[in-house]
C-alpha cells in the first residue's frame, strides 16, 4: 500500500478544480445557447401533419429574426398571444405553425383553397384542403397569419386571429428525432 504524497494530493486537488471549472463553463454555455441561440422542442399535436408528426423532436433557432423579418412559409414556434391566453393557454406553452401571410397581405380561404392577395397559394405540404371558409382579411403590419399544415385539425389564425411577431420564439429548422426522419425542415 502506497501513501499519497502531499504533491500527489495537490495535483488531485488541482485536477478537481480544473474539471469543476470546465463543467461550470459548459453548463453556462449550454444555458446561454438555449436562451439565446437554439433550443430543442417536442411536437405535441397533429396540427403540422404531414410535415411534422406528433412526437417529433426539432431544433428551433432563435437568432435569424433578430436580424430579419419572418417570411411566408417559415415554420415558427411561438408563445400563445393574448387572445389564446384569454382562452386559458399558459405563456409557457408553445405552438408551432407555418407563416401563410405577413403584414399587409390579404388572406382568404374559399372552395378549399387559401388565397394570398387574390392569388391561390400553392400548398403541396398540407394534409388536405381546408373544409372551411375565411372572408378576405388584411394582416396588420407587425402581425402574421399562421396555419397548421393539417388545415382541418389546427388551432390557428383562421380561428383566433393574428400572431404579433413579438410572440415568436424562433424558426423550426431541423428534425433530430425520430432518427429515420432526421433532416432539415
Amino acid at each position: 500500500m502506497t501513501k499519497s504524497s502531499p504533491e500527489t494530493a495537490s495535483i488531485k486537488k488541482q485536477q478537481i478544480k480544473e474539471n469543476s471549472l470546465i463543467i461550470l463553463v459548459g453548463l453556462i454555455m449550454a444555458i446561454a445557447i438555449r436562451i439565446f441561440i437554439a433550443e430543442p422542442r417536442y411536437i405535441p399535436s397533429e396540427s403540422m401533419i404531414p410535415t411534422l408528426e406528433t412526437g417529433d423532436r426539432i431544433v428551433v433557432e432563435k437568432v435569424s429574426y433578430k436580424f430579419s423579418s419572418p417570411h411566408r412559409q417559415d415554420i415558427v414556434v411561438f408563445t400563445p398571444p393574448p387572445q389564446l391566453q384569454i382562452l386559458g393557454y399558459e405563456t409557457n406553452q408553445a405552438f408551432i405553425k407555418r407563416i401563410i401571410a405577413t403584414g399587409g397581405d390579404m388572406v382568404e380561404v374559399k372552395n378549399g383553397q387559401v388565397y394570398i392577395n387574390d392569388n391561390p397559394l400553392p400548398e403541396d405540404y398540407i394534409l388536405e384542403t381546408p373544409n372551411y371558409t375565411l372572408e378576405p382579411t388584411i394582416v396588420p403590419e407587425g402581425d402574421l397569419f399562421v396555419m397548421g399544415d393539417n388545415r382541418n385539425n389546427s388551432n390557428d389564425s383562421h380561428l383566433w386571429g393574428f400572431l404579433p411577431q413579438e410572440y415568436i420564439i424562433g424558426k423550426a429548422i431541423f428534425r433530430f428525432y425520430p432518427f429515420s426522419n432526421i433532416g432539415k425542415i
Side-chain angles (χ1 to χ4, degrees), residues 47-139:
S47 72
M48 287 300 292
I49 290 174
T51 306
L52 296 168
E53 300 282 337
T54 304
D56 283 359
R57 274 38 171 221
I58 62 170
V59 174
V60 176
E61 72 85 11
K62 301 176 169 186
V63 177
S64 62
Y65 294 147
K66 305 269 188 244
F67 304 103
S68 66
S69 297
H71 298 94
R72 281 191 214 145
Q73 305 303 320
D74 288 354
I75 297 175
V76 293
V77 173
F78 56 94
T79 57
Q83 62 270 35
L84 288 175
Q85 292 176 32
I86 289 169
L87 296 174
Y89 290 95
E90 301 289 328
T91 56
N92 64 348
Q93 292 178 279
F95 281 64
I96 183 165
K97 305 291 178 211
R98 185 181 298 270
I99 297 173
I100 299 301
T102 60
D105 287 336
M106 182 178 68
V107 181
E108 182 179 13
V109 179
K110 63 182 178 184
N111 303 320
Q113 177 69 57
V114 176
Y115 291 83
I116 305 297
N117 302 323
D118 294 321
N119 297 308
L121 182 64
E123 298 187 292
D124 60 352
Y125 48 80
I126 63 173
L127 182 63
E128 57 190 10
T129 60
N131 63 9
Y132 53 84
T133 60
L134 176 73
E135 294 299 314
T137 306
I138 303 289
V139 180

Side-chain angles (χ1 to χ4, degrees), residues 24-39:
L24 179 63
V25 168
L27 183 60
I28 290 169
M29 287 177 59
I31 291 169
I33 287 169
R34 181 172 171 100
I35 291 172
F36 299 110
I37 298 173
E39 69 180 60

Side-chain angles (χ1 to χ4, degrees), residues 159-171:
L159 295 172
W160 46 260
F162 307 111
L163 172 65
Q165 289 184 31
E166 62 265 22
Y167 287 86
I168 293 177
I169 295 169
K171 179 180 177 181

